[in-house]
Amino acid sequence: MATFSPLIDRLLETLRVLPGVGPRTAQRMAFHLLERDREGGRRLAEVLGEALERVGYCERCRNLTESRLCSICEDARRDDHALCVVESPADLLAIEEAGGFRGRYFVLHGHLSPIDGIGPADLGLDQLEALVHQRQIEELILATNPTVEGEATAHYIAEQLRALGVRCSRLAYGVPMGGELEYVDGGTLSRAFMGRQPFGEQDAN
Amino acid sequence: MATFSPLIDRLLETLRVLPGVGPRTAQRMAFHLLERDREGGRRLAEVLGEALERVGYCERCRNLTESRLCSICEDARRDDHALCVVESPADLLAIEEAGGFRGRYFVLHGHLSPIDGIGPADLGLDQLEALVHQRQIEELILATNPTVEGEATAHYIAEQLRALGVRCSRLAYGVPMGGELEYVDGGTLSRAFMGRQPFGEQDAN
């Protein structure tokens, strides 16, 4: 792509660290900031730098936060007996936005993947075990992704923590709400059949 | 949207200065940088800050550059007799990428818009006039957008500079290459009819 300035070239290239940003979008972003919103761009550079500098993991649940404890761990109104284990902060946010769950979380920041050298220590499983023990968690909801790696990780955690007498559960599998059966994949359909429930009791718990 | 950290909230909000970035995309970008590419994010913050600090206008043609003159003005191999006037650096880039034009440019950074208080001085028209005069430009190609404002701006410039004896031209209007007539809008079609040329001479100049 033809351009006219080494520094702008460098900006176009660097904007592509953002997910979903190709050469065209990078160009549109760079020109927008340089031509129409320098103030906004400066604020972005500053806030981004500060966030990358200061945001780390919550000491208790490994959620992203710039404080020692995240706002969910700080919140005294949350239910201390249920702990939901997720793979990423984005999953946590999706569950929070869905509403309904009022317990605490634990963020793995990934899943077990021996091939990439990601083991229990990388996911903070010692910390999870200590947390379950210390805070007398009664139910551990394993909300890892419904993928092979997510399943394997959930199984591993359930195995490890069953000894502590904590009840482990997994999100229900089934057909997504609002979809049409015709377009649901076979694997999901057969799980939904296996997990079928007496009529009128689907929402019992 | 539920979140969990004031600094991350601020980052999500600030990412939206980027064109085409809504709340969901901002979230995906923020998590991507925080979870998977902190190094890239830091580089982005740095390069963006530096570009906004250092990139200004080329002294001669008002193209974006961090130097005194842009690389096109510096390039001794370009044709000094033809000057192409564009509304934005993005338009300049589009023409460069199309290839074929080997002259110089002048960037207006906008179009005349009395309602927004944008007059000749804001578009650097004095500077353009001086440039045409000093550098003995023979042809001025008015490549402002084919919109009402772009047309008006081209007309104004042609009026002003005709006194200097410079030949002013405008990009041809017509049907876009590779399209289907069926889908070309009426305004474009009737301009293409008005501008019709003897068969075999379309590319004569």
Side-chain angles (χ1 to χ4, degrees):
Chain A
M1 190 149 50
T3 55
F4 36 68
S5 142
L7 184 51
I8 295 177
D9 282 354
R10 201 137 60 82
L11 177 58
L12 293 179
E13 197 190 295
T14 320
L15 278 166
R16 298 187 55 194
V17 303
L18 296 170
V21 174
R24 280 284 149 202
T25 310
Q27 209 183 83
R28 197 156 55 91
M29 288 175 166
F31 285 140
H32 175 82
L33 295 179
L34 286 167
E35 290 279 283
R36 256 162 282 162
D37 194 5
R38 291 207 172 212
E39 189 40 46
R42 260 186 283 266
R43 216 167 49 236
L44 175 57
E46 199 181 295
V47 173
L48 179 57
E50 190 186 344
L52 290 165
E53 184 71 33
R54 290 181 44 209
V55 171
Y57 293 172
C58 169
E59 277 183 18
R60 189 177 297 159
C61 78
R62 310 217 319 162
N63 189 7
L64 290 173
T65 180
E66 69 273 23
S67 314
R68 204 173 61 80
L69 291 182
C70 76
S71 61
I72 294 176
C73 283
E74 292 274 26
D75 187 347
R77 290 162 307 174
R78 309 275 312 200
D79 175 5
D80 262 323
H81 303 101
L83 189 74
C84 178
V85 177
V86 292
E87 290 187 32
S88 74
D91 297 339
L92 185 159
L93 215 50
I95 296 173
E96 281 296 287
E97 281 172 14
F101 179 66
R102 295 296 301 157
R104 313 265 182 189
Y105 291 91
F106 187 84
V107 184
L108 301 174
H109 296 282
H111 46 240
L112 290 176
S113 179
I115 222 168
D116 303 310
I118 297 172
D122 302 294
L123 305 184
L125 296 193
D126 288 355
Q127 194 179 334
L128 172 61
E129 197 171 326
L131 189 66
V132 168
H133 188 65
Q134 283 158 22
R135 302 187 75 79
Q136 301 171 325
I137 307 294
E138 289 167 11
E139 182 180 2
L140 201 66
I141 299 157
L142 297 164
T144 51
N145 287 329
T147 58
V148 175
E149 298 85 354
E151 294 292 342
T153 307
H155 274 284
Y156 183 90
I157 296 173
E159 279 302 310
Q160 296 290 307
L161 298 198
R162 223 184 294 267
L164 293 177
V166 63
R167 190 156 36 97
C168 290
S169 60
R170 184 95 176 96
L171 295 185
Y173 298 100
V175 292
M177 299 298 292
E180 294 185 46
L181 281 193
E182 186 178 349
Y183 301 110
V184 173
D185 68 289
T188 301
L189 258 187
S190 59
R191 292 300 292 248
F193 262 95
M194 285 193 284
R196 68 189 180 276
Q197 304 201 348
F199 199 79
E201 289 181 22
Q202 294 100 323
D203 303 315
N205 43 346
Chain B
M1 190 149 51
T3 56
F4 37 70
S5 141
L7 185 50
I8 296 177
D9 281 355
R10 203 138 59 85
L11 177 59
L12 294 178
E13 197 190 296
T14 320
L15 278 165
R16 298 189 54 192
V17 303
L18 296 171
V21 173
R24 280 284 150 200
T25 311
Q27 209 184 82
R28 198 156 53 93
M29 288 176 165
F31 284 141
H32 175 82
L33 296 179
L34 286 167
E35 290 279 281
R36 257 163 281 164
D37 194 6
R38 292 208 170 209
E39 188 41 45
R42 261 186 283 266
R43 217 166 50 237
L44 175 57
E46 199 181 294
V47 173
L48 180 58
E50 189 186 343
L52 290 164
E53 184 70 32
R54 291 182 46 209
V55 171
Y57 292 173
C58 169
E59 276 182 17
R60 187 176 297 156
C61 77
R62 310 213 322 160
N63 188 5
L64 289 173
T65 180
E66 70 273 21
S67 313
R68 204 173 60 80
L69 291 181
C70 76
S71 61
I72 293 175
C73 285
E74 291 274 27
D75 187 348
R77 293 161 306 174
R78 310 275 311 202
D79 176 5
D80 262 323
H81 302 100
L83 190 74
C84 178
V85 177
V86 291
E87 290 188 30
S88 74
D91 296 340
L92 184 159
L93 214 50
I95 296 172
E96 281 295 287
E97 280 171 13
F101 179 67
R102 295 296 300 157
R104 314 264 181 190
Y105 291 91
F106 187 84
V107 183
L108 302 173
H109 296 282
H111 45 241
L112 290 177
S113 179
I115 222 168
D116 303 310
I118 298 173
D122 302 295
L123 305 183
L125 295 192
D126 288 354
Q127 193 179 334
L128 173 61
E129 198 170 326
L131 188 67
V132 167
H133 189 65
Q134 284 158 21
R135 303 187 74 80
Q136 301 172 327
I137 306 294
E138 290 169 8
E139 182 179 2
L140 202 65
I141 300 157
L142 297 164
T144 51
N145 287 331
T147 57
V148 175
E149 297 86 355
E151 295 293 340
T153 307
H155 274 284
Y156 183 91
I157 296 174
E159 280 303 311
Q160 296 292 307
L161 300 197
R162 225 185 292 267
L164 293 177
V166 63
R167 190 156 37 96
C168 289
S169 60
R170 184 97 176 95
L171 294 186
Y173 299 98
V175 292
M177 300 297 292
E180 294 185 46
L181 281 193
E182 184 179 351
Y183 301 110
V184 172
D185 68 289
T188 301
L189 258 186
S190 59
R191 293 301 291 249
F193 261 96
M194 285 192 283
R196 68 188 179 278
Q197 306 202 345
F199 199 79
E201 288 180 24
Q202 294 99 323
D203 304 316
N205 46 348

